Amino acid sequence: MTSSEPYDAPSLSRAAEALERIAAALERLVPAAPERQDFSAADAFIFSAHAPHLSAVARVNRVDMALLRGIDRLRDILTDNTERFARGFPANNALLWGARGMGKSSLVKAAHADVNTRLSGVGGLAPLKLIEIHREDIDSLPLLMGVLREASYRFVVFCDDLSFDAADTNYKSLKAVLEGGIEGRPQNVLFYATSNRRHILSREMVDNERGTAINPGEAVEEKVSLSDRFGLWLGFHACSQAEYLDMVFGYAEHFGLAQDRPAIEREALEWAITRGARSGRTAFQYIQDLAGRLGKRLD
């Protein structure tokens, strides 16, 4: 068919259908904007980037602040930072890093609950909201920030076990959101993350950059600069035997299980040895075993 010949109707129809299919495919690739969220429904939410959607959490899985032993100084620093933010004053993003099972994520959730309890009834202050975002959804942070920016509440966005491996470039989205992007972090949003790594990025990832870059120093600086976006670095370290037993008996007394202290001490130490670690998580796992054997609930 030459340019001087008219287009036939079937050809035009097929072309129109092809364009519609292409347009539909492109629309599926673009994330839909989240529905307007009712943040008064709960004090905690989980963000899912697939919908995208914020799901209200009716009952947060958390430990009472009084049961977090051996981290008093870290507890006070994070709680004070969180309360300042809840009151509308400047506060820092926080990275809680270090030994596994030492209460990093538990402290974030406990600090949120503690601050809301203490500020309850204070005139003009709405409850602080806790938003959990999963590690695999970090690249959707700009979308979440856009939703929270327009809300009348203040939010702590929390990511547990945050780390990045080789070939993972999502850390760049996080850097831009925390500091450095055009929009930056909204004034009503604070970001807390926990990680076993101080610099979040795997050693192999940094070493690879050092080995292949023309200027190794600049490559490494670009990688570790992510941690610099956090104004607070709170380090959690492995506990001593005395601190471990203090955690065990703190739980035992709280749940009414501390009848035979010598037996509990002996069993708790054996429990830690068989697992190769002393931590708050190990202590609570022993308490769960003890309560089960005694036929008691941990409510």
Side-chain angles (χ1 to χ4, degrees):
M1 184 168 58
T2 65
S3 58
S4 60
E5 295 175 335
Y7 288 102
D8 59 282
S11 296
L12 289 173
S13 177
R14 287 194 297 270
E17 291 175 358
L19 289 173
E20 288 179 0
R21 289 196 297 271
I22 293 172
L26 290 174
E27 287 179 359
R28 288 193 295 270
L29 292 175
V30 179
E35 298 178 0
R36 187 172 181 83
Q37 187 72 40
D38 179 15
F39 288 111
S40 64
D43 283 344
F45 299 82
I46 297 176
F47 176 70
S48 173
H50 301 294
H53 180 66
L54 282 159
S55 303
V57 179
R59 186 173 184 271
V60 177
N61 177 30
R62 60 172 137 234
V63 176
D64 188 85
M65 183 73 83
L67 295 176
L68 298 178
R69 306 292 181 93
I71 54 173
D72 294 6
R73 178 174 173 274
L74 304 176
R75 174 200 64 202
D76 293 344
I77 292 174
L78 189 69
T79 302
D80 288 346
N81 190 68
T82 307
E83 182 171 343
R84 287 197 299 271
F85 175 70
R87 290 182 176 274
F89 299 114
N92 276 306
N93 300 314
L95 173 63
L96 291 72
W97 65 274
R100 66 186 188 277
M102 282 303 296
K104 298 184 291 294
S105 59
S106 295
L107 179 56
V108 171
K109 293 181 284 188
H112 167 253
D114 185 68
V115 167
N116 270 350
T117 299
R118 281 194 280 156
L119 298 184
S120 177
V122 176
L125 292 181
L128 181 65
K129 305 297 179 178
L130 182 66
I131 310 289
E132 182 176 10
I133 182 170
H134 298 303
R135 157 66 189 83
E136 56 271 21
D137 291 334
I138 282 295
D139 60 343
S140 299
L141 256 180
L143 176 63
L144 175 60
M145 293 298 176
V147 174
L148 303 184
R149 191 186 302 272
E150 305 301 325
S152 58
Y153 291 91
R154 301 182 76 80
F155 303 91
V156 170
V157 175
F158 167 53
C159 184
D160 189 28
D161 196 20
L162 180 63
S163 62
F164 298 95
D165 295 315
D168 191 341
T169 59
N170 288 338
Y171 74 93
K172 295 183 179 180
S173 298
L174 178 57
K175 285 174 62 175
V177 167
L178 295 181
E179 287 182 23
I182 293 178
E183 286 189 304
R185 172 173 56 89
Q187 292 297 312
N188 63 333
V189 177
L190 205 58
F191 191 85
Y192 286 175
T194 69
S195 178
N196 293 333
R197 303 167 180 165
R198 183 175 184 179
H199 290 295
I200 303 179
L201 307 173
S202 69
R203 182 178 297 276
E204 293 80 5
M205 189 174 180
V206 176
D207 288 343
N208 287 343
E209 289 290 336
R210 181 185 289 112
T212 59
I214 295 175
N215 189 322
E218 290 183 356
V220 174
E221 284 294 318
E222 199 274 336
K223 293 292 185 183
V224 301
S225 65
L226 173 57
S227 297
D228 293 341
R229 264 62 175 185
F230 295 90
L232 278 182
W233 285 15
L234 302 179
F236 291 67
H237 306 286
C239 61
S240 65
Q241 178 172 299
E243 290 171 329
Y244 168 70
L245 290 175
D246 185 42
M247 295 172 187
V248 168
F249 284 113
Y251 284 126
E253 291 166 2
H254 179 77
F255 294 115
L257 306 174
Q259 291 85 356
D260 190 348
R261 295 180 69 88
I264 290 177
E265 179 174 335
R266 183 177 62 255
E267 291 179 356
L269 291 176
E270 181 180 356
W271 185 274
I273 291 172
T274 59
R275 279 146 189 82
R278 291 191 297 256
S279 68
R281 179 180 297 144
T282 305
F284 188 69
Q285 289 169 346
Y286 165 70
I287 289 298
Q288 290 185 104
D289 180 77
L290 176 63
R293 288 188 280 114
L294 295 177
K296 296 191 176 182
R297 299 181 180 276
L298 299 182
D299 297 329

